[in-house]
Amino acid sequence: MTIRIASVRLDVLSTLGPASYEARLSAGLNVLNAPNSWGKSTLLQSIVYALGLEGALSASRRSPLGPAMTQAIDTLRGRGGVIDSSVTVTLSNNHGKYLRVKRWAVNQDIARTLVHVWLADNERALNTAPRQDMFVREPGATFSDVGFHRVLEEFLGWSLPQVPSFSGGETKLYLETLFPLFYIEQKFGWSGVAPRVPTHYGIRDPLRRAVEYVLGLSTLQALKIREALREEEVAIGQTWAGAVARINEAALSENLRVTLLSTNPVGSSQRRSAVLEAGDGQTWIPLSQAQPVWRDRLNALMGEVTIAGDRTDRSRADLVAAEREVRRLGAIVRNIYEQMSLAQSDLDVLVSRLASIEADKKHLRDVQRIRVLGGELSLPLISEGRCPTCQQEVDNRQIETHAVASIEDNVALLDAERAALLSMRIASEDRIQNFSASLSAAETALGGARDQVRMLRDELAGPSDAPSLAEVQERLSLDNRLRGAERVQAVLLAVEDELDDLAIRLDDVRTRRAALDSDGSNPADRALLSSFRSNFQQQLSAYGLRSIAPEEVTIDERTLLPVNDGFELSFDVAMGISASDTIRTKWAYHTALMETATSYASGHHLGVLALDEPRQQETDRKSLAAYLQRLKRDIGLGQIIYATSEDPAMLENLLEGIPHTRLPAYGHHLIDLTSTAG
């Protein structure tokens, strides 16, 4: 989607009285012709300032506006100090929607980071649309409900991607990074061939990422795919670690250990089957060797007969006690289960309430930030029977005093509640852990009691010459070890199957990533870059590039910058590249970028190209005439703002036959008591 700047207005209240400048811009070519120091750059930068995009020009937090908007205005009546000043810009998009934004440059009560915003379906409706107070140049401006750049991005119909950052993670491709591709400012913008893209946002290769997005190249999509593959590989690693932990825990519970099992994900070719080992007190032997020994001993015990008739009465008493213990432990286990369930429910409620508090605090911080910046945010009145903070219904008891707590009091109350809930959550989590430990101990004891009952019943049900308790105990112990080993083997079998599947998935992820790395650009990208390159070279030829043959200059596919013989093109007297040829190259680069991006459905050009004093380095007028003819061809692609101090008569000759709109340039300065224009 593209936009158009419908109007821009600058208002100043000075010690000499009010002054203002207003201009309506049309689609196509808009020309601002005024002498040096009149204020052309101030006008263009006021548009940047109103949109909160001055970060595209500098990392400084200072206002980019000139003294006429921040300090003093010079008029025929003398110099007057600035008391109050603001910029208002109205935009429209190609869906017919309108957005108006007003930002203060000087105001005693309103911070520079606050903006007033109006949205409507047509320009006239903006006058009656509700005002929204938002912020710019503050953390959260791109995603907060009251962040203006979030609204501006939506108005543009863009969804700016996440791109690699210098920190190793990802960050948003901010609007400030893209804006230098749409605006060449006078002070530094013409100093080199490459657009002057900010680096203070921590984006790796910011210029390349910006050009890729504007052209709509699939390389950004490839970055997303590559990141998705990386995340999938991380997920495989986490699942792998969970499976390894599961078999290790199962083995530990039966006094076994697992060897030859990779703790890190490996492909199918590196997978080795794990081995379970059992200890004999001093050494570890494979479980497959220990199991036959245990079975032989168990069979031997089962074959021996030891008289037990002399202890029948005692065995009966022990059985009664053991059964009673089973019932007692069973009741304890059930009780712990119930208490754990209740504790988990309490924890869920605490977590839910903490999330609600965080949401309420976020809303209150937004309100507080807007208030601090001097703005307003409408809230329901207490008389409406709703809390002005959370908007929940309240009864008469809660509003009996008709007093509403301040935002600061509400934030403090939420902070206190949050601190209490965090302590309760920690206590609840500790309680659940204690229940879990108690449950494990109780279940182990219950298992032992059941084994004891089973052993005694076997003895009493058998003949009087039944095995002795010691032999029965050994037999049961061996039986438990064999059954425990079989259980661990079943867990290992399931884990091995899971790891085999994960290894296959890992091979697939690595194969897809390798294919993505070796694939290069896709056919659509190659066609788009070919069009960009051809367009760029055609313009160089038309503008009369002298230092190098135009056909020897191309666009590098890796950096997306002009290169000659493998080297980035730049002003270099030693290489014979003149300063005026640098300007010609810059004309060609930005204009070709606009033409290419707006000609492809995948492109994301703003639809605006602003040029502040494009005839730098006294580039000859023949080249300038060729450039203006190129802009004439591009009138239907978007809006072009051309600010120049060219001699009016000469400019008139250059613009002959080129449809354009003249922006008002009256008086001695942009802001002048005598030059207010509509």
Side-chain angles (χ1 to χ4, degrees):
M1 188 184 296
T2 58
I3 65 167
R4 180 177 70 84
I5 301 172
S7 67
V8 55
R9 180 181 177 90
L10 287 72
D11 289 289
V12 174
L13 176 62
S14 73
T15 54
L16 298 177
S20 65
Y21 175 90
E22 182 173 10
R24 291 197 61 81
L25 288 76
S26 64
L29 180 60
N30 296 264
V31 178
L32 177 60
N33 184 209
N36 288 325
S37 301
W38 179 83
K40 300 183 297 297
S41 296
T42 297
L43 177 61
L44 293 180
Q45 290 188 350
S46 69
I47 298 172
V48 178
Y49 178 77
L51 300 178
L53 295 172
E54 64 267 30
L57 308 178
S58 170
S60 171
R61 307 293 294 186
R62 292 178 297 178
S63 169
L65 301 179
M69 291 293 293
T70 58
Q71 298 175 15
I73 60 172
D74 290 318
T75 72
L76 293 177
R77 291 166 50 187
R79 170 167 290 197
V82 174
I83 300 173
D84 200 286
S85 65
S86 65
V87 182
T88 304
V89 172
T90 301
L91 307 175
S92 66
N93 61 26
N94 55 5
H95 284 177
K97 304 295 183 180
Y98 279 79
L99 179 150
R100 179 172 292 159
V101 56
K102 181 176 182 178
R103 186 178 177 190
W104 298 90
V106 176
N107 190 282
Q108 295 296 322
D109 301 316
I110 301 177
R112 290 204 306 265
T113 50
L114 181 92
V115 293
H116 300 328
V117 182
W118 297 264
L119 291 162
D121 292 334
N122 57 72
E123 189 170 6
R124 178 174 296 180
L126 287 173
N127 297 325
T128 56
R131 190 188 82 191
Q132 303 176 55
D133 288 356
M134 299 183 178
F135 61 86
V136 294
R137 303 283 285 165
E138 295 274 356
T142 62
F143 60 83
S144 171
D145 290 341
V146 287
F148 175 63
H149 281 182
R150 178 191 63 80
V151 173
L152 182 58
E153 185 178 337
E154 291 177 358
F155 187 76
L156 289 168
W158 291 355
S159 179
L160 296 176
Q162 297 291 113
V163 292
S165 68
F166 282 113
S167 63
E170 286 190 323
T171 187
K172 193 180 185 71
L173 184 63
Y174 294 102
L175 286 167
E176 291 91 335
T177 308
L178 302 173
F179 201 72
L181 302 180
F182 315 134
Y183 170 47
I184 310 177
E185 52 97 16
Q186 182 184 11
K187 192 172 183 180
F188 299 108
W190 300 99
S191 59
V193 174
R196 190 169 179 265
V197 172
T199 59
H200 53 270
Y201 291 99
I203 297 172
R204 190 179 296 275
D205 298 326
L207 177 57
R208 178 183 174 187
R209 299 283 90 90
V211 176
E212 285 173 343
Y213 182 75
V214 170
L215 287 175
L217 296 176
S218 65
T219 44
L220 283 178
Q221 183 63 29
L223 278 176
K224 290 183 180 179
I225 295 174
R226 189 175 286 107
E227 179 60 22
L229 291 175
R230 188 190 67 80
E231 291 178 356
E232 186 175 352
E233 188 168 351
V234 170
I236 289 173
Q238 293 172 343
T239 307
W240 187 290
V244 170
R246 190 163 67 253
I247 183 58
N248 282 332
E249 290 172 3
L252 183 62
S253 67
E254 298 296 337
N255 296 320
L256 304 173
R257 75 174 185 180
V258 185
T259 60
L260 302 180
L261 184 63
S262 176
T263 57
N264 297 316
V266 295
S268 300
S269 61
Q270 297 175 290
R271 274 276 294 130
R272 292 184 297 175
S273 298
V275 174
L276 286 171
E277 294 183 337
D280 62 359
Q282 293 182 340
T283 61
W284 292 88
I285 61 173
L287 182 61
S288 59
Q289 297 179 16
Q291 283 176 307
V293 175
W294 297 342
R295 288 194 182 95
D296 290 344
R297 177 57 181 162
L298 181 59
N299 291 333
L301 288 173
M302 293 294 290
E304 295 180 2
V305 178
T306 303
I307 295 174
D310 294 339
R311 61 180 312 280
T312 300
D313 293 337
R314 180 181 174 184
S315 294
R316 287 174 178 166
D318 289 343
L319 177 58
V320 171
E323 289 175 339
R324 186 185 304 113
E325 184 68 6
V326 167
R327 290 191 295 272
R328 187 184 71 84
L329 291 173
I332 290 175
V333 168
R334 289 191 299 274
N335 183 53
I336 294 175
Y337 264 121
E338 292 174 358
Q339 294 189 63
M340 279 187 67
S341 179
L342 292 173
Q344 185 61 51
S345 298
D346 292 341
L347 179 60
D348 292 342
V349 171
L350 291 172
V351 171
S352 177
R353 179 55 189 154
L354 281 168
S356 298
I357 287 176
E358 292 299 327
D360 289 344
K361 283 185 63 179
K362 177 180 179 297
H363 177 65
L364 284 172
R365 287 194 187 102
D366 286 340
V367 175
Q368 193 174 35
R369 179 178 291 177
I370 292 297
R371 294 277 176 86
V372 169
L373 297 179
E376 298 177 358
L377 192 65
S378 59
L379 289 171
L381 298 176
I382 196 69
S383 59
E384 297 175 357
R386 281 182 291 151
C387 172
T389 300
C390 66
Q391 301 187 23
Q392 295 184 57
E393 297 291 334
V394 294
D395 59 29
N396 290 330
R397 292 172 299 172
Q398 295 168 308
I399 59 173
E400 184 176 354
T401 63
H402 300 282
V404 181
S406 66
I407 294 175
E408 291 75 16
D409 290 341
N410 275 288
V411 171
L413 181 63
L414 289 175
D415 283 336
E417 185 179 355
R418 179 178 180 274
L421 290 174
L422 284 174
S423 299
M424 293 171 65
R425 187 182 72 177
I426 292 172
S428 182
E429 289 172 343
D430 290 340
R431 188 181 179 202
I432 290 175
Q433 289 180 353
N434 292 335
F435 280 141
S436 180
S438 299
L439 179 63
S440 178
E443 287 179 332
T444 300
L446 179 60
R450 285 171 174 166
D451 289 339
Q452 180 74 3
V453 169
R454 186 164 48 249
M455 179 188 67
L456 291 170
R457 284 176 177 172
D458 288 344
E459 179 178 342
L460 292 170
S464 59
D465 56 354
S468 68
L469 289 174
E471 291 175 347
V472 169
Q473 184 64 39
E474 184 181 1
R475 186 184 71 180
L476 292 175
S477 176
L478 288 170
D479 184 61
N480 286 336
R481 293 194 75 177
L482 285 168
R483 286 190 286 113
E486 290 173 356
R487 182 182 63 83
V488 175
Q489 285 175 318
V491 174
L492 178 60
L493 184 61
V495 167
E496 290 277 27
D497 288 341
E498 184 176 3
L499 295 183
D500 285 340
D501 291 339
L502 290 173
I504 293 172
R505 283 180 56 194
L506 185 62
D507 288 338
D508 177 62
V509 168
R510 290 175 175 175
T511 299
R512 284 186 286 158
R513 191 169 63 184
L516 190 66
D517 293 337
S518 62
D519 189 30
S521 60
N522 65 27
D525 283 355
R526 288 195 293 270
L528 196 153
L529 285 174
S530 176
S531 176
F532 183 33
R533 189 180 298 112
S534 174
N535 192 320
F536 173 68
Q537 290 175 331
Q538 288 173 8
Q539 292 190 54
L540 290 180
S541 179
Y543 304 154
L545 187 71
R546 299 185 179 92
S547 303
I548 307 172
E551 62 272 13
E552 294 180 6
V553 182
T554 187
I555 301 294
D556 182 74
E557 291 191 6
R558 186 180 61 84
T559 64
L560 301 178
L561 287 174
V563 294
N564 170 245
D565 196 24
F567 290 90
E568 183 180 325
L569 199 65
S570 62
F571 168 63
D572 191 336
V573 176
M575 295 181 64
I577 301 175
S578 68
S580 61
D581 272 346
T582 301
I583 303 305
R584 293 182 181 92
T585 307
K586 201 166 188 70
W587 291 348
Y589 187 82
H590 282 264
T591 310
L593 185 65
M594 179 179 183
E595 292 175 355
T596 307
T598 53
S599 299
Y600 283 79
S602 60
H604 300 98
H605 199 279
L606 191 66
V608 175
L609 179 60
L611 309 164
D612 191 359
E613 293 288 4
R615 187 175 173 251
Q616 298 285 315
Q617 305 300 330
E618 297 301 318
T619 306
D620 67 58
R621 289 188 171 87
K622 184 178 179 181
S623 297
L624 183 60
Y627 183 47
L628 287 170
Q629 289 299 318
R630 189 75 181 199
L631 294 181
K632 175 184 178 182
R633 199 184 90 168
D634 294 341
I635 284 174
L637 298 179
Q639 187 177 55
I640 302 167
I641 305 173
Y642 186 104
T644 179
S645 57
E646 188 71 50
D647 176 75
M650 184 61 67
L651 182 63
E652 194 67 36
N653 290 333
L654 291 171
L655 291 172
E656 186 176 355
I658 301 176
H660 64 280
T661 298
R662 286 295 188 105
L663 302 183
Y666 310 115
H668 296 282
H669 298 288
L670 174 73
I671 303 296
D672 194 318
L673 296 176
T674 63
S675 67
T676 300

